[in-house]
Amino acid sequence: MTTTIPDSEALRRASLRYLWMHNRDWTQMAEEGEPQIIESGHGVRVTDSEGKSWIDVNGGYNSVNAGYGRTEIGEAAYEQMVNLHYFPQGTTTVPMAKLAAKLAEITPGTLSRVFPVSGGSEANETALKIARAYHKRIGEPGRYKVISRVGSYHGMTAGVLWLGGSPYQPRHDYEPIYPGIVHAPQPNAYRSTCGGETPSECAVKCAEAIERLIEFHGPQTVAAVIAEPVAIPQGAVVPSDEYWPMLRQICDKYGVLLIADEVICGFGRTGKMFALEHWDVVPDIMTVAKGVVSSYLPMAAAIVKEEVADVFAGERNILRHVFTAAGHPVAAAASLKNIEIIENEDLVENSAQVGAYFKEQLEGLAIDHPLVGDVRGIGLLLAVELVSDRDTKAGFAADARVPERLNDKFKRQGLIFRINSNILNMGPPLCITKEEVDEIVHAIDISLWELEGEMGISRMT
């Protein structure tokens, strides 16, 4: 039943008064008539408390892979909840045992030991702890440093907050930085900081930069390299094919563990079940979240190679690490049903095919819009980078308020699509159709026309 408009306004006021929302300012939301109160959803669309339908361009946080409104997932969760909602200490449950086996089956190589947690930040925190503890178990206690990449994102808890980073995710409130965090360049060919005139040269140089960092700090001090297969904050950065195989070889050469953060990239987002399958690379630890359960409930995991996990066997070797909700049976039941839907409905293949169409349509925007500097991505993880000058790749002055103006225009076009920089990141549910892609691209097209008109930018010839 749809909430009445007066009730909707009361909910909005209550949210403004009591709710501390993610990365939002309640005073600004009040001025803009927000927050929106969402009541229901189906596929890529959601309906708000006033009955208006919207397309969710980013499917939650690039996380509603199977789409909204999958009653089968809700039914699986309900059935498990009424049967057994939690578990006694030192035990596990039927759905968690089945989920661990399923994840071992579908992940590449010998990735098979599953440490379940509640979200992506926890998964990456767990991976770092495993990496450092692993080296202590094998007699290398000096290995504590972790190499991550500038412009990557690995979560918001206190440890992983310092991995990666960008100007759009300021961290000065939480200083000082954790010790042992080392930053390498991002293989972003459009804005390469490594040098190289081609994407291949950029990839090689950025991989070599990680090797130089290991050598500079001393291999005996480096525990792990962590990286997203496709980097998100800088806008769906897909490295050239040389990069990941080189990274694997470098880590093997120096005895460093390779951690792949597949929290966003996994479960079909890039047109493969896991993004590293594009390069036939198997990491030592893979972290997953979001798409594993399409955000119907909190579920995530660090999945570890047998060769790494086996050093923790034996009473004196166990990893002292726990979260109350880790391995929750209701979330596990929902995850199993979600993975079943992804597999049975060929959503990974749909991501590849519709994603390619989506990217082609976005590339077409560059013909008419001088603000479009670059279009990149793979599968249904895509981005458009806007520039004020294509030749110099210059951005925009802060007082131009480009993100805020576009957010307002997207909203008027029926999109839930918020940006905080000059990069338009897109990651809709994997069930999206070409017709729905056309709706999104049309709305972006109109919004860019309006913005360019306001900025006095004429159409390209």
Side-chain angles (χ1 to χ4, degrees):
M1 182 177 178
T2 302
T3 305
T4 62
I5 291 178
D7 288 343
S8 177
E9 179 59 23
L11 288 170
R12 191 182 72 84
R13 288 198 301 268
S15 298
L16 292 171
R17 176 66 182 85
Y18 302 111
L19 181 61
W20 201 329
M21 288 180 62
H22 305 168
N23 300 320
R24 299 295 306 277
D25 168 38
W26 49 80
T27 57
Q28 182 181 3
M29 284 194 292
E31 293 173 0
E32 297 174 353
E34 292 195 344
Q36 293 170 270
I37 308 295
I38 303 301
E39 287 199 338
S40 62
H42 181 77
V44 303
R45 300 177 192 274
V46 295
T47 302
D48 66 19
S49 55
E50 297 181 10
K52 184 173 180 180
S53 177
W54 304 80
I55 293 181
D56 182 6
V57 176
N58 275 307
Y61 289 85
N62 303 114
S63 58
V64 187
N65 288 25
Y68 289 98
R70 300 308 303 240
T71 57
E72 314 96 298
I73 299 177
E75 289 165 357
Y78 173 78
E79 182 179 347
Q80 178 60 42
M81 185 175 289
V82 297
N83 186 49
L84 181 70
H85 86 285
Y86 197 60
F87 54 97
Q89 289 185 34
T91 71
T92 190
T93 61
V94 172
M96 192 60 242
K98 289 183 176 179
L99 179 60
K102 183 63 178 178
L103 292 175
E105 173 194 326
I106 64 177
T107 48
T110 61
L111 289 166
S112 60
R113 184 65 65 173
V114 178
F115 195 110
V117 293
S118 306
S121 297
E122 289 181 2
N124 285 323
E125 291 276 7
T126 299
L128 297 194
K129 291 178 75 173
I130 291 171
R132 287 169 170 163
Y134 165 81
H135 288 293
K136 289 196 172 185
R137 296 296 192 283
I138 64 172
E140 298 179 329
R143 288 184 182 259
Y144 72 99
K145 294 179 182 178
V146 177
I147 298 175
S148 65
R149 304 178 308 184
V150 175
S152 286
Y153 174 76
H154 299 286
M156 292 299 289
T157 49
V160 297
L161 174 67
W162 298 102
L163 303 173
S166 75
Y168 312 116
Q169 297 159 345
R171 297 169 292 184
H172 51 268
D173 280 341
Y174 316 114
E175 292 173 337
I177 186 173
Y178 272 34
I181 304 298
V182 179
H183 294 112
Q186 186 75 238
N188 181 354
Y190 186 67
R191 295 190 179 276
S192 177
T193 59
C194 303
E197 297 182 358
T198 67
S200 291
E201 290 176 356
C202 172
V204 170
K205 288 179 178 294
C206 286
E208 290 173 343
I210 288 180
E211 182 169 21
R212 287 196 299 274
L213 283 171
I214 294 173
E215 292 173 340
F216 174 81
H217 288 271
Q220 71 278 6
T221 72
V222 181
V225 171
I226 184 170
E228 305 157 293
V230 179
I232 313 307
Q234 289 195 350
V237 174
V238 183
S240 188
D241 289 343
E242 296 84 358
Y243 184 77
W244 273 98
M246 283 188 66
L247 216 54
R248 177 71 276 178
Q249 292 167 6
I250 291 166
C251 287
D252 288 341
K253 178 179 178 180
Y254 296 99
V256 173
L257 296 187
L258 179 59
I259 304 170
D261 179 347
E262 293 255 10
V263 167
I264 287 178
C265 298
F267 296 93
R269 174 60 57 192
T270 68
K272 297 280 189 182
M273 183 61 81
F274 299 102
L276 279 190
E277 294 179 62
H278 289 286
W279 300 286
D280 294 322
V281 169
V282 181
D284 298 296
I285 305 174
M286 176 187 288
T287 56
V288 299
K290 297 181 184 285
V292 68
V293 69
S294 289
S295 290
Y296 276 73
L297 284 169
M299 173 57 74
I303 309 172
V304 186
K305 271 185 174 180
E306 287 179 9
E307 301 91 314
V308 174
D310 284 351
V311 306
F312 294 93
E315 185 177 351
R316 295 185 180 181
N317 284 331
I318 64 172
L319 181 72
R320 300 292 179 179
H321 183 57
V322 65
F323 296 102
T324 301
H328 199 287
V330 181
S335 297
L336 284 167
K337 181 58 67 173
N338 171 70
I339 295 171
E340 179 183 308
I341 290 170
I342 289 173
E343 290 182 329
N344 289 350
E345 298 185 9
D346 293 327
L347 293 186
V348 179
E349 181 61 23
N350 193 68
S351 175
Q353 293 186 5
V354 178
Y357 175 79
F358 199 167
K359 187 179 181 185
E360 181 180 288
Q361 301 309 303
L362 292 172
E363 289 170 341
L365 294 176
I367 298 172
D368 292 324
H369 297 288
L371 292 184
V372 175
D374 191 36
V375 176
R376 52 185 179 261
I378 188 169
L380 286 170
L381 189 55
L382 302 168
V384 174
E385 181 164 350
L386 304 179
V387 294
S388 60
D389 186 300
R390 283 185 178 173
D391 293 332
T392 64
K393 302 180 183 178
F396 303 91
D399 58 10
R401 300 181 66 253
V402 168
E404 295 86 350
R405 291 160 73 181
L406 280 176
N407 287 341
D408 179 64
K409 297 179 192 305
F410 294 152
K411 186 174 180 180
R412 286 192 278 109
Q413 293 298 323
L415 303 182
I416 293 183
F417 187 23
R418 295 189 61 83
I419 61 172
N420 61 7
S421 70
N422 60 321
I423 297 175
L424 281 57
N425 283 302
M426 286 159 271
L430 308 189
C431 57
I432 192 170
T433 66
K434 290 182 178 180
E435 290 74 20
E436 289 163 337
V437 165
D438 290 340
E439 290 184 61
I440 294 171
V441 174
H442 179 66
I444 294 173
D445 186 27
I446 292 175
S447 300
L448 290 177
W449 277 122
E450 290 180 359
L451 179 63
E452 288 164 349
E454 294 165 3
M455 297 175 74
I457 299 173
S458 61
R459 178 174 179 167
M460 294 180 63
T461 57

